[in-house]
Amino acid sequence: MKKIAILTSGGDAPGMNAAIRAITRVASKKNIEVYGIMDGYSGLVKGHIKRLENSDVSEVLSRGGTILGSSRLPEFIEDEVQQKAVKELQSREIEGLVVIGGDGSYRGALELSHKGICCVGIPGTIDNDINGTDETIGFHTALYNIVDAVNKLRDTSSSHHRCFVIEVMGNNRDSLALYSGIACGSEFIITKNTGYDEDYIVKMMNYYEKEQGKKHAIIIASEKMIDVEKLAERISLETHFSGRSIVLGHIQRGGSPVPQDRILASQMGQYAVELLMDHQSGYCVCKKDNHIVARKIDEALNDVNKIQGKMYQLFDELV
């Protein structure tokens, strides 16, 4: 294999640049030319492709986001659009493609692999919502950003007898809410797996204040689950806590990637190059039981995450 390309697709995730850097440097040492595709599948279809040298990835390890840019292209499910992408790669004699993104990005890579392009996926999403891998690039940085924000909110919460209802990202998945709830010592987490009983929460908030003497409380909810403002208002009306709602938003996605994401991205980038050199198309790089492994994309996407159940049990025992 003489030429490979990289694209980042979907929502950006801290650590994507570390993966781009690793792929570029590892491939270059193996005398493989590396090309960067700008703005995801949209840039691929439009032919926005440029050669990447080692100098292009210098000093990107600590940068958040993605130097290649990202976008969403719903039309990529159409065969005609996929054929345009194949034509752009073949016209440049690019044989291999590394796709860094979420499950939608994986599905695009799988379609291209069926059309003769050797494709490998790398999981890049803060939501940690890709089946088949225990961790995704960007999750740990987003988790750190949430914990840092909640720690600061807890300081003011203690001073004013407040209950903060905090919405975190997760795209209707539970990893960020669950892990941050444990890390922050929250009284409640609200996810699709916990369900939502507003009456019970209000009842328990009164119990915490009267029976346990709590002077502050934290409730963390995964996005798209509840109206955090409405719950905070009810807590103010029916308990002795002053309810406040916070939507952390895109601050969770930004900032310099933490070391764990940089290392994971570097490991996955290196392994992706090895897979392409072996012409292992239609595979994705995963972290399973603390090992970097390859799995077929379709099998990985249909896998079941068994870690979450243990984490829910841990949260229940800690509250």
Side-chain angles (χ1 to χ4, degrees):
M1 188 164 289
K2 301 297 183 182
K3 297 180 180 181
I4 66 172
I6 316 165
L7 69 78
T8 51
S9 176
D12 64 292
M16 282 183 165
N17 287 329
I20 295 167
R21 173 182 180 269
I23 294 164
T24 303
R25 295 200 167 183
V26 170
S28 295
K29 286 191 174 181
K30 300 180 186 299
N31 297 316
I32 299 173
E33 292 183 10
V34 182
Y35 292 80
I37 299 170
M38 310 307 295
D39 301 324
Y41 286 115
S42 175
L44 174 56
V45 172
K46 296 174 182 176
H48 296 168
I49 303 171
K50 69 174 186 177
R51 176 79 184 271
L52 290 180
E53 305 286 355
N54 281 342
S55 58
D56 294 312
V57 295
S58 295
E59 301 181 6
V60 303
L61 194 61
S62 62
R63 288 173 56 182
T66 163
I67 60 171
L68 295 179
S70 186
S71 66
R72 302 183 192 276
L73 185 65
E75 304 84 56
F76 201 75
I77 62 172
E78 300 171 10
D79 181 75
E80 182 180 350
V81 178
Q82 294 168 14
Q83 292 290 357
K84 289 181 181 179
V86 170
K87 183 178 179 180
E88 291 294 340
L89 293 171
Q90 290 179 340
S91 68
R92 295 168 175 80
E93 299 181 332
I94 295 173
E95 305 164 80
L97 174 65
V98 181
V99 175
I100 308 171
D103 56 0
S105 305
Y106 274 22
R107 296 183 197 283
L110 192 58
E111 291 299 324
L112 290 178
S113 71
H114 292 156
K115 289 178 168 57
I117 303 298
C118 190
C119 291
V120 172
I122 292 180
T125 167
I126 67 168
D127 300 327
N128 203 38
D129 62 349
I130 300 179
N131 293 332
T133 184
D134 295 340
E135 298 176 15
T136 62
I137 297 168
F139 170 68
H140 288 285
T141 303
L143 178 60
Y144 172 85
N145 288 339
I146 294 170
V147 173
D148 183 57
V150 174
N151 286 343
K152 293 170 182 174
L153 289 171
R154 189 179 289 281
D155 291 340
T156 184
S157 178
S158 307
S159 302
H160 296 279
H161 205 73
R162 284 181 178 149
C163 171
F164 276 99
V165 185
I166 303 165
E167 180 184 287
V168 300
M169 284 183 169
N171 195 27
N172 204 25
R173 296 294 289 264
D174 53 4
S175 290
L176 284 174
L178 175 57
Y179 282 70
S180 62
I182 293 172
C184 298
S186 65
E187 278 64 36
F188 287 97
I189 56 172
I190 302 169
T191 73
K192 67 173 185 176
N193 286 313
T194 63
Y196 178 49
D197 188 335
E198 190 174 291
D199 293 335
Y200 177 75
I201 290 175
V202 172
K203 176 183 174 181
M204 290 304 298
M205 292 307 300
N206 279 314
Y207 171 81
Y208 289 145
E209 195 272 335
K210 294 176 182 177
E211 302 298 328
Q212 296 186 358
K214 281 184 175 288
K215 297 185 180 300
H216 61 82
I218 297 291
I219 299 173
I220 295 180
S222 189
E223 64 181 337
K224 302 178 183 177
M225 281 296 302
I226 68 168
D227 184 332
V228 291
E229 184 176 355
K230 178 182 175 182
L231 177 57
E233 289 175 354
R234 185 173 176 189
I235 288 171
S236 292
L237 290 172
E238 299 182 28
T239 77
H240 292 285
F241 288 99
S242 174
R244 293 288 189 276
S245 63
I246 298 287
V247 178
L248 290 183
H250 283 77
I251 193 171
Q252 299 160 81
R253 197 183 286 282
S256 180
V258 297
Q260 199 163 353
D261 277 325
R262 300 184 196 188
I263 294 168
L264 178 64
S266 299
Q267 290 175 315
M268 288 184 164
Q270 177 197 39
Y271 198 58
V273 174
E274 293 176 359
L275 290 174
L276 288 180
M277 291 181 66
D278 289 337
H279 295 274
Q280 298 296 308
S281 185
Y283 281 78
C284 57
V285 182
C286 305
K287 185 171 184 179
K288 295 294 289 183
D289 301 322
N290 214 32
H291 291 88
I292 304 298
V293 298
R295 303 187 67 184
K296 290 184 177 180
I297 290 176
D298 50 358
E299 291 180 2
L301 292 177
N302 291 321
D303 199 0
V304 177
N305 190 326
K306 298 179 181 179
I307 295 177
Q308 301 293 65
K310 296 178 180 179
M311 296 300 286
Y312 274 111
Q313 181 181 356
L314 174 61
F315 179 83
D316 289 339
E317 293 178 355
L318 291 174
V319 175

